[in-house]
Amino acid sequence: MEPTGATVACMGTSQGSTRAERGEIETLPSGSLRVRVYAGKDAVTGKRNYLTDVIPAGPKAMAQAIKVRTKFLAQVDQLRTPRTRATISQLLDRYFELADVETTTLKAYKSLANHHIRPLIGEKVAGSIDGETLDSFYKQLRTCRAHCRGKKFIEHRTNKNHECDDRCKKHRCSPLADASIVKIQAILGGAGKRGVRWEWFGVNPFDRAERQAAPKPQPSPPTAEQAAAIVTEAWADLGWGMLVWLAMVTGRGGASFARRNGNFST
């Protein structure tokens, strides 16, 4: 039977006597004590999560183990008692409803949420999300944009009834782009910040995730010929031509242009 965070055997003394307690303190062959407290299921993988620690053997080992178990239990209780039982999907619904962003931006946010957030963690209670679950969530995105979890299937060319041809192929994992993951973190972080303001929970639960590094820019400056054509065309309007010319000369585009065309100068 699945543990529920309720009664788990705890070895209360070195003689092996037991008493009903939440959490477990186990004596290892080395004499050390292992503390283990059930912390619920991973919302993404479905695996059972435990908070664990090993206390070295010694005269004060049991007292230290009990302190660690108490700390773990407090952490689990804090995560399981948010101020609202609203799910992440419900939080996103309210966040999108009140978001003050351009229509195209909101549409893009909703698309990312519908394709990647809701299917994996949308039914998770927003205030109870923990760092381990978030790490698992982002690992799934970095592993497979289709969230296959290792399952084999055919990627069909259409969702409609059809006869398969060479366009229907076996699924191959492809990670979600870093830029999309950064946007997803921004969506969840923004929704969590609003949730704190609305007093849905005390702290932003999505701050527990490690931040995805923003993708490095990969500029592609114009060639000397392209830059010359751009500047020439821009001079049809004096103000615009001056702006483009200054950008070419003093900005990154200008530096690249100058390197490629040595006879161009101010």
Side-chain angles (χ1 to χ4, degrees), residues 168-256:
C168 301
K169 300 178 180 179
K170 291 183 178 180
H171 166 71
R172 291 185 178 181
C173 292
S174 176
L176 190 63
D178 290 345
S180 294
I181 295 178
V182 169
K183 290 178 182 178
I184 287 173
Q185 287 192 327
I187 293 168
L188 290 174
K193 186 177 180 180
R194 288 288 185 95
V196 173
R197 288 180 54 215
W198 301 332
E199 297 185 355
W200 285 23
F201 26 75
V203 296
N204 188 341
F206 304 106
D207 284 346
R208 298 184 177 106
E210 290 187 1
R211 306 305 298 176
Q212 172 75 25
K216 295 181 179 179
Q218 297 179 337
S220 179
T223 64
E225 293 76 14
Q226 291 171 334
I230 292 171
V231 172
T232 300
E233 184 68 22
W235 277 117
D237 179 274
L238 181 61
W240 179 243
M242 179 62 71
L243 177 63
V244 172
W245 180 76
L246 287 173
M248 289 291 184
V249 174
T250 62
R252 291 183 179 180
S256 176

Side-chain angles (χ1 to χ4, degrees), residues 52-179:
T52 62
D53 196 4
V54 175
I55 309 301
K60 298 182 179 180
M62 180 55 68
Q64 180 63 27
I66 292 174
K67 288 182 180 180
V68 171
R69 185 189 62 192
T70 300
K71 180 185 71 173
F72 285 167
L73 290 172
Q75 291 176 1
V76 172
D77 288 341
Q78 182 180 15
L79 291 174
R80 289 182 178 174
T81 55
R83 299 181 185 180
T84 175
R85 300 297 296 174
T87 65
I88 290 175
S89 283
Q90 290 171 325
L91 173 64
L92 290 175
D93 288 340
R94 185 60 172 160
Y95 174 62
F96 290 148
E97 180 183 351
L98 300 177
D100 184 17
V101 296
E102 294 183 359
T103 302
T104 54
T105 301
L106 183 60
K107 184 177 180 180
Y109 282 1
K110 287 183 175 181
S111 178
L112 286 171
N114 292 338
H115 285 92
H116 301 294
I117 301 176
R118 297 184 195 270
L120 292 176
I121 57 174
E123 296 307 308
K124 186 75 174 176
V125 174
S128 69
I129 197 77
D130 56 34
E132 186 175 6
T133 299
L134 289 171
D135 286 348
S136 180
F137 166 65
Y138 287 115
K139 183 178 180 180
Q140 287 287 334
L141 298 184
R142 289 191 293 267
T143 300
C144 180
R145 64 175 62 230
H147 325 139
C148 71
R149 300 189 181 99
K151 296 179 181 179
K152 297 180 180 180
F153 63 93
I154 300 297
E155 292 184 335
H156 295 282
R157 57 186 172 86
T158 178
N159 293 327
K160 300 179 180 179
N161 292 331
H162 68 285
E163 292 185 4
C164 291
D165 54 26
D166 57 358
R167 289 174 292 178
C168 301
K169 300 178 180 179
K170 291 183 178 180
H171 166 71
R172 291 185 178 181
C173 292
S174 176
L176 190 63
D178 290 345

